[in-house]
Amino acid sequence: MTENRTAIAPAGASKTPRSQLVQGPGLLLVWLYGVMSVGSVSRSAYQILTEFDRAPLAYSLSAVAAVVYAFITYTLVRGGERARRAALACCAAELAGVLIVGTWTLLEPSLFPDDTVWTTYGMGYVFIPVLLPVTGMLWLRRPRISPPPRPVP
Amino acid sequence: MLDALTIAIGVTAVALAAWCGFAAYRDQPTKDWHFIGMAVVSLLAFAQLAVGVVQLARGEEPHEGTAIFLAYLIGSFAAVPAAGFLSLAERTRWGSATVAAGAIVLAVLEVRLYDIWKG
């Protein structure tokens, strides 16, 4: 694992430590993403394995949501500039997904015999799915290549 | 399931969330007393896990299925300790906020557990 990481890291990156994304508010963010990952991965795995035929579209969309959550959690924990950009892009995709699926479930409820993770903008999860990507993008918006400047005494 | 235990965990989890939320509001990290509170809640959740497994072993059927019930039991046992470990590394108000979020997750899981058992 360690060898792999140093191999991927661009030249010069080894001098400075990988920028930490799990710090301060980032910890709360990664915790919520972790909870959403565990919840949605186990839920969609169970639904697809046991009763996929009942609501194929809903369960497939839940599986997509689960993959997105798991990937964002992984990139946040990993840290670094590339991971920050990847997580930022995924947060944008997540927000788009929540909005599209949320609207879709409102317009065509007949297509969804059972709920997805993102039904009605994530109402089943106290609207966390629509709030998380927004806070995530705010947290990830600026690069962290250089450490924050120290205040001059 | 023991209803009294489920309610006790729900109430203590909300109390823990309020307490740690207050610490976050006052810009404080989690302290020894908070960890004692987390230990109490975790102990209750462990008792619930044990009771739940015993009841499954005796052949009782949860309303929404054994697999879901077991998954929620394990999740509710793991939520607060996991958040507690994260707060050990983050000695700021955000550690406290994370534990508060973990306790709220536990309270929600307890409501779901009650439904899953009773239907």
Side-chain angles (χ1 to χ4, degrees), chain A residues 2-20:
Chain A
T2 325
E3 293 163 36
N4 194 15
R5 279 191 186 175
T6 44
I8 298 171
S14 54
K15 286 177 198 161
T16 51
R18 198 191 289 283
S19 62
Q20 287 268 314

Side-chain angles (χ1 to χ4, degrees), chain A residues 55-79:
Chain A
L57 180 64
Y59 296 158
S60 306
L61 287 172
S62 285
V64 171
V67 170
V68 172
Y69 285 126
F71 183 76
I72 295 178
T73 310
Y74 167 71
T75 49
L76 285 176
V77 170
R78 192 167 181 275

Side-chain angles (χ1 to χ4, degrees), chain A residues 23-25 27-28 31 35 46, chain B residues 68 79 86 90 94 97-98 102:
Chain A
Q23 241 175 21
L27 181 74
L28 183 59
W31 167 253
V35 169
Y46 174 81
Chain B
I68 295 179
L86 285 178
E90 177 68 39
W94 295 104
T98 302

